[in-house]
Amino acid sequence: MYPGGNLVKLSPSDLVATAYTAGDIIFAKAELENAVPSRGGCSLLVSVTAFVEGATSDDDFTLLFFDNSTDLGEPAGDPASDITADEFRAASCIGSIEFDQSSNSVAVGNGYLYTGGDEDGSQGPLFIKAADGQRSIWVAMIQQSETLDLIDTDSITLTFGFQFLS
């Protein structure tokens, strides 16, 4: 166990260098290992940053968090609206965080660096609980507005800051 918390970095492995339009799944579930201090444990997700190469001043995103690895029912690049209610229930969503370019991002290089939360900072921290027997949670990303043209298959890097709860 890590004392006090953990910082987990993620470079999603199922990215496709393509254009994602509003409502598209940018990446399906990816595992965030050691997000909680013990099997079935709880944490606070206190910070999230994302560097998205190819993002423009109009791109907004949503991260969805889950307590299991069950497939969402749709692959990256497909519309999130094609996920059925049964598939979404089975996926076991435990929360979400929005990335709003207009209020919590800065242009860096050929993309944007986003910090999770809404413009007045009222979104977060997010309470998470891993499923029994697990220390991981899973995350997916959805394009919320405009069109994102990813530069290549390693265009997104995310960092999650977890504060462990006893």
Side-chain angles (χ1 to χ4, degrees):
M1 181 166 93
Y2 305 96
N6 195 13
L7 198 63
V8 179
K9 293 188 177 191
L10 173 68
S11 295
S13 61
D14 64 344
L15 292 178
V16 178
T18 189
Y20 295 88
T21 58
D24 282 353
I25 300 168
I26 298 172
F27 65 85
K29 284 185 171 180
E31 185 174 10
L32 298 175
E33 295 181 18
N34 300 314
V36 299
S38 58
R39 296 182 187 281
C42 299
S43 291
L44 291 176
L45 177 58
V46 295
S47 66
V48 181
T49 58
F51 179 62
V52 182
E53 291 181 88
T56 65
S57 62
D58 296 326
D59 290 312
D60 297 332
F61 311 99
T62 298
L63 292 179
L64 299 173
F65 298 92
F66 305 88
D67 69 2
N68 68 45
S69 62
T70 303
D71 188 25
L72 279 175
E74 294 295 324
D78 282 3
S81 59
D82 286 350
I83 300 169
T84 68
D86 287 342
E87 288 167 336
F88 194 71
R89 276 191 290 274
S92 192
C93 186
I94 57 174
S96 67
I97 290 181
E98 295 177 23
F99 288 117
D100 181 346
Q101 186 283 327
S102 67
S103 62
N104 57 7
S105 71
V106 62
V108 178
N110 57 353
Y112 275 81
L113 179 67
Y114 294 80
T115 56
D118 56 14
E119 110 182 59
D120 66 2
S122 63
Q123 179 176 299
L126 181 65
F127 179 78
I128 60 154
K129 182 183 182 319
D132 290 344
Q134 294 289 331
R135 292 191 58 212
S136 296
I137 62 169
W138 286 260
V139 63
M141 190 177 204
I142 297 174
Q143 174 76 10
Q144 288 302 338
S145 63
E146 301 303 322
T147 300
L148 171 66
D149 291 310
L150 288 184
I151 293 171
D152 54 40
T153 58
D154 63 353
S155 292
I156 298 176
T157 305
L158 298 119
T159 304
F160 302 86
F162 295 98
Q163 178 183 351
F164 291 159
L165 302 175
S166 50

